[in-house]
Amino acid sequence: MVQLVVIVVTLASLAVTSGVAYSPEGLQRRLDKAKRPTSWQKRLDKALLDVDKNPQQRIRLLQKVAGDGKKIVSDVRVAAAEVQEKGIGKGHPILLDLLFPDGTTARSDLEGLVALRKQLPELTKGLAPPTVEQLRAAAPAAPIDPTRVARALADLAGDERKQRELLQEAKNALRSTPKGLETPKYRVLRSWRAGPGALDGVVELRSYPPFTVARKGMGGAGFGAVEGGGAGFNALASYLFGDNADGAAMAMTTPVGIDVSGGGAASSMSFVLPRDAARAPPRPNADGGVALDEVPARIVAVKAFAGVVTDGEVRRQRDALEAAIEADGGTAPVEAGAFSVLQYNAPYAIPWRRRNELAIVVSEVVAEEEAASAGEAAAGDAEAAPAGEAAGEREGREGVSSWYDTGVRL
């Protein structure tokens, strides 16, 4: 990230010495080209920041970027001219969109670092050093067994599979979306800007098919609360890793979801079950507080945000997503005030690359003319169809109000 910023800033310092003329249409063409997978912006971003590129791939990408030298200087001059003419406040959106377009790791890093400026003070606000009593009550750390450590290292040195898994975990600490973990499938129906600002992000309208989750109540705890969140995570992880009535272990999945009801309380946490286990999931222990729920198909409006999840950040993202849904006008929340927070990364992932999402289950808004004609057609169908069939269809659509709403209790 630092390397990429240094390169662009250096070019910008050289570019401001010469004026540049461009039209609004020409500027839009530049912005459209910057979003292409083969643009110099995307290639430079991958060469410097993509953890999955090997040295040979990075060299080839940099060679292609070097071949676009004239384009780079021209784009940087335009971005610098925008800032010179409009000032950093009004000119920075074009600079970001032209030099760090959406979809690049550099853009995501910038958004994450900006978000951390508010999140970290919120995260540390309620922290306090442990008291003497707490330190005395804490269990002493078990001594390290050198023989056991040496045996583990020897096993790792001779096991290529473990080496690959360890490398994958190390790379996942640098990825926004971790690899090797199953996640629910979805289809993006469309997307739109979440706001006028360059770092306001994008809203995706997604269609999800049914899937199964393990869920545990959080008792109204906040998003950063150890009592609710930590206990819920540990109980669900234990169930997934084999602490269940059948003793069956399953693979870890993503994301971890927190469901918030319309009343505003964080009510439950969920883990998605692997698809091969969802057909006949292991039974939870009777005293574990874990329940299994089949999530019905639904449409969800989702806004991604980086950094750490705090109560303050959740409020900001919820307000932004609700405003974006209202401004778009094509959908409406199924239940007012209900939403879910989805977290995709392990705790050791670097904060500004963490992938979090605020999700609201929505229904499509039908125009008045379409609604009238649809109502007439539905009335005609109701006369021909049995009353029980219509009631059953309505029942199937009701209750889908959150990311993992309890559609069918298993």
Side-chain angles (χ1 to χ4, degrees):
M1 177 65 188
V2 175
Q3 294 171 312
L4 186 56
V5 172
V6 169
I7 291 173
V8 173
V9 170
T10 302
L11 289 171
S13 64
L14 297 174
V16 295
T17 59
S18 302
V20 59
Y22 55 93
S23 65
E25 295 79 10
L27 177 58
Q28 187 57 51
R29 285 195 295 270
R30 289 176 185 269
L31 294 173
D32 292 340
K33 289 180 180 179
K35 298 176 182 178
R36 296 176 183 174
T38 56
S39 68
W40 69 263
Q41 294 93 331
K42 295 290 184 72
R43 284 171 171 167
L44 182 59
D45 187 82
K46 291 178 181 178
L48 298 180
L49 299 177
D50 191 337
V51 298
D52 293 312
K53 299 299 180 187
N54 58 44
Q56 292 76 19
Q57 290 173 321
R58 296 182 194 278
I59 291 173
R60 285 196 296 268
L61 285 168
L62 289 173
Q63 288 173 340
K64 292 179 179 180
V65 170
D68 288 333
K70 292 183 179 180
K71 293 181 182 178
I72 296 173
V73 172
S74 179
D75 285 342
V76 172
R77 284 178 175 174
V78 169
E82 280 286 314
V83 174
Q84 278 188 317
E85 179 184 347
K86 300 178 181 179
I88 190 66
K90 295 183 177 180
H92 80 275
I94 294 297
L95 184 146
L96 290 175
D97 289 341
L98 188 54
L99 304 184
F100 307 100
D102 285 331
T104 59
T105 302
R107 179 65 168 261
S108 299
D109 284 353
L110 288 171
E111 293 174 354
L113 291 169
V114 170
L116 283 174
R117 293 175 59 189
K118 293 182 179 179
Q119 295 167 354
L120 290 180
E122 293 171 345
L123 185 66
T124 58
K125 185 177 180 181
L127 297 180
T131 63
V132 175
E133 290 75 14
Q134 289 173 330
L135 291 174
R136 289 174 178 173
I144 298 176
D145 184 354
T147 304
R148 187 175 181 180
V149 173
R151 189 182 301 115
L153 292 175
D155 291 342
L156 179 61
D159 192 328
E160 293 185 359
R161 182 182 62 83
K162 288 184 178 180
Q163 293 173 16
R164 289 193 299 269
E165 291 177 351
L166 185 61
L167 179 60
Q168 186 81 290
E169 286 298 311
K171 288 185 175 181
N172 277 343
L174 302 173
R175 293 185 177 119
S176 177
T177 302
K179 289 188 176 182
L181 299 179
E182 187 177 309
T183 189
K185 295 181 178 180
Y186 62 84
R187 180 167 58 94
V188 178
L189 303 178
R190 62 186 179 90
S191 61
W192 66 94
R193 297 292 303 179
L199 299 178
D200 286 342
V202 174
V203 176
E204 283 188 347
L205 191 65
R206 301 175 182 172
S207 174
Y208 282 88
F211 59 89
T212 306
V213 299
R215 179 172 61 86
K216 190 178 189 307
M218 291 179 62
F223 292 96
V226 175
E227 295 80 8
F233 185 93
N234 291 337
L236 291 170
S238 296
Y239 165 78
L240 208 65
F241 296 149
D243 186 9
N244 50 63
D246 299 323
M250 294 167 279
M252 185 64 182
T253 60
T254 189
V256 176
I258 298 177
D259 174 51
V260 180
S261 66
S267 57
S268 60
M269 176 180 288
S270 76
F271 279 19
V272 180
L273 296 190
R275 279 182 284 274
D276 59 352
R279 299 182 184 91
R283 296 165 298 159
N285 294 328
D287 58 350
V290 175
L292 300 178
D293 289 310
E294 183 177 322
V295 182
R298 71 254 182 273
I299 297 176
V300 186
V302 178
K303 183 181 183 299
F305 64 98
V308 294
V309 175
T310 64
D311 289 342
E313 187 63 34
V314 169
R315 283 192 296 270
R316 289 189 290 272
Q317 296 297 330
R318 174 189 171 187
D319 291 344
L321 180 54
E322 289 178 343
I325 292 173
E326 183 177 0
D328 174 70
T331 60
V334 172
E335 179 184 349
F339 64 93
S340 298
V341 176
L342 314 177
Q343 301 178 71
Y344 287 79
N345 305 88
Y348 52 79
I350 56 176
W352 59 88
R353 288 200 182 162
R354 296 180 64 84
R355 177 185 174 186
N356 311 299
E357 294 176 340
L358 199 296
I360 296 177
V361 175
V362 297
S363 60
E364 294 184 284
V365 175
V366 182
E368 293 183 4
E369 296 81 3
E370 295 178 0
S373 60
E376 294 173 0
D381 293 341
E383 294 177 0
E389 180 181 346
E393 291 175 357
R394 287 195 301 272
E395 182 179 356
R397 289 194 298 268
E398 290 174 352
V400 186
S401 60
S402 68
W403 162 253
Y404 49 83
D405 192 272
T406 55
V408 179
R409 178 62 65 85
L410 300 181

